[in-house]
Amino acid sequence: MDSDESDFYGDDGLVKDLESKVDNFDINKWWQVHEAVETPLESQAKGSSLPIPQYHNPYAGHPYAWQLTETVDAFLKRLPPATTEETPGHAWIWICNPYVKRKSKSEAENQHVRGGEDEAPEDEGADLATLMKAGQERLHFASSFIDQFRKPGLLNSFAMQECKKAGMDAADDILNLAKNLRVTCGKWMLFCTIFEVNDVWEIVAKAVVKGELGIAAKVAARTEGDQRRRERLICVYTENFSDVQDVTRVARRLKQLGLVRTRPLYYKPDAYTYLGIASGNPWEIKASIYDTRSLLGKRGV
């Protein structure tokens, strides 16, 4: 072995020692030992006295969600999104990051918001009721201003600019209000075909449980309209839409996992969902605040 190779692989003695360990490695014995080792969740479920981290699940007991007492593989087998039917009150399949504590679903204020029942697990201090009241008032103010310029004969380039600015100002105020009221969750939205939804969901679910993505993820369950609907939606939630570094980190990890493909992904704050700000809204507010192209450059498609 020449000197360059020796620097990289080690000297002849080290190489022979490593080769000997490889030759004598007992694969079957290794598996016998490691198969008997419990995961932390299994230990906690059995009441182990070992000093393990505290785990959380805001969807504990929810039939369409992962439970701390089951493995992720068992969860994926129990609720495969390709064939799990939507039922009343259960349009989504959920998995939550067990290392993040959030308000339980049964105690969440979003359960009283029509159309917002299936958004991210809430922060303990979130004041959604105030956001709804103040946010609706702000949008109503924007609508009144915009309506003045949309009267016959007044809609020129200046009026159009003023209308757009009114919507942008309203959006800024709503996002600032949401931050102050701790309604800060948002989601990356992934679309995949019905035929690949199980595989894509498996990748997302396992990454969420490992803490590699955000605080939670959900996938749409099967509906009668699946024959007409080509795609399924998967949402990956982050804790704070204003934390651009964390939002970008999750986007980058989604890219590394092969989930940012031929088109960019878009990120929408839950505050917009609660207030009904969707594509084509009358305030001309853009429904998403980030996309993978702007955050990751050319790598974001």
Side-chain angles (χ1 to χ4, degrees):
M1 182 181 296
D2 60 33
S3 60
D4 290 339
E5 289 180 327
S6 177
D7 288 341
F8 184 79
Y9 294 104
D11 58 29
D12 291 339
L14 177 60
V15 170
K16 288 181 180 179
D17 182 55
L18 293 174
E19 289 176 344
S20 175
K21 289 181 178 179
V22 171
D23 291 337
N24 295 322
F25 183 72
D26 189 336
I27 296 176
N28 293 327
K29 184 178 179 180
W30 187 94
W31 274 111
Q32 289 175 359
V33 171
H34 287 79
E35 281 183 331
V37 177
E38 294 180 346
T39 65
L41 293 183
E42 289 172 333
S43 298
Q44 188 181 60
K46 293 180 180 180
S48 171
S49 60
L50 295 175
I52 57 176
Q54 181 64 47
Y55 296 96
H56 310 277
N57 184 12
Y59 283 79
H62 191 287
Y64 271 38
W66 175 60
Q67 302 301 306
L68 294 177
T69 53
E70 65 182 340
T71 65
V72 178
D73 285 332
F75 160 72
L76 294 169
K77 185 176 181 180
R78 178 171 64 88
L79 296 168
T83 53
T84 300
E85 298 281 351
E86 175 184 339
T87 60
H90 305 298
W92 300 89
I93 299 167
W94 280 91
I95 191 161
C96 296
N97 184 336
Y99 305 102
V100 178
K101 185 177 182 181
R102 310 293 285 186
K103 192 183 298 184
S104 70
K105 181 177 174 66
S106 61
E107 298 174 353
E109 291 184 21
N110 62 15
Q111 298 307 295
H112 307 291
V113 177
R114 185 175 181 181
E117 301 92 343
D118 286 307
E119 288 311 315
E122 291 178 11
D123 188 341
E124 289 285 351
D127 186 356
L128 182 55
T130 300
L131 174 69
M132 293 297 297
K133 184 176 184 298
Q136 289 170 349
E137 290 176 354
R138 184 63 183 86
L139 290 174
H140 178 72
F141 177 80
S143 295
S144 300
F145 179 85
I146 291 171
D147 288 345
Q148 296 180 34
F149 287 93
R150 287 183 174 168
K151 294 178 181 178
L154 293 179
L155 197 58
N156 51 37
S157 59
F158 171 76
M160 292 175 65
Q161 290 177 0
E162 288 299 307
C163 289
K164 188 169 185 178
K165 184 178 183 302
M168 293 173 62
D169 290 344
D172 288 342
D173 289 344
I174 287 169
L175 293 178
N176 285 328
L177 181 65
K179 283 191 292 184
N180 291 331
L181 296 174
R182 298 177 69 172
V183 184
T184 57
C185 291
K187 61 263 186 187
W188 283 110
M189 297 175 287
L190 295 73
F191 291 90
C192 62
T193 68
I194 296 172
F195 305 103
E196 63 182 347
V197 66
N198 281 357
D199 293 335
V200 174
W201 177 239
E202 179 179 354
I203 294 171
V204 170
K206 289 183 175 180
V208 167
V209 169
K210 291 177 182 177
E212 296 177 359
L213 295 178
I215 61 171
K218 69 180 182 182
V219 59
R222 185 178 184 275
T223 68
E224 293 181 358
D226 264 8
Q227 293 181 348
R228 300 185 301 274
R229 184 177 63 179
R230 290 186 175 184
E231 297 180 311
R232 290 281 189 89
L233 174 61
I234 296 175
C235 295
V236 176
Y237 288 88
T238 73
E239 190 167 12
N240 190 337
F241 63 78
S242 67
D243 187 346
V244 181
Q245 183 176 357
D246 184 58
V247 172
T248 303
R249 178 193 64 80
V250 173
R252 187 176 295 111
R253 186 59 183 142
L254 289 170
K255 175 67 175 178
Q256 293 168 345
L257 291 169
L259 301 179
V260 183
R261 300 172 179 174
T262 59
R263 56 184 177 177
L265 307 182
Y266 293 90
Y267 183 97
K268 182 177 183 179
D270 282 1
Y272 279 10
T273 303
Y274 292 136
L275 292 168
I277 301 174
S279 297
N281 62 79
W283 312 283
E284 297 185 30
I285 297 173
K286 188 177 179 182
S288 61
I289 60 174
Y290 307 118
D291 64 78
T292 51
R293 183 184 290 118
S294 63
L295 294 183
L296 303 180
K298 293 182 179 179
R299 294 179 302 164
V301 182

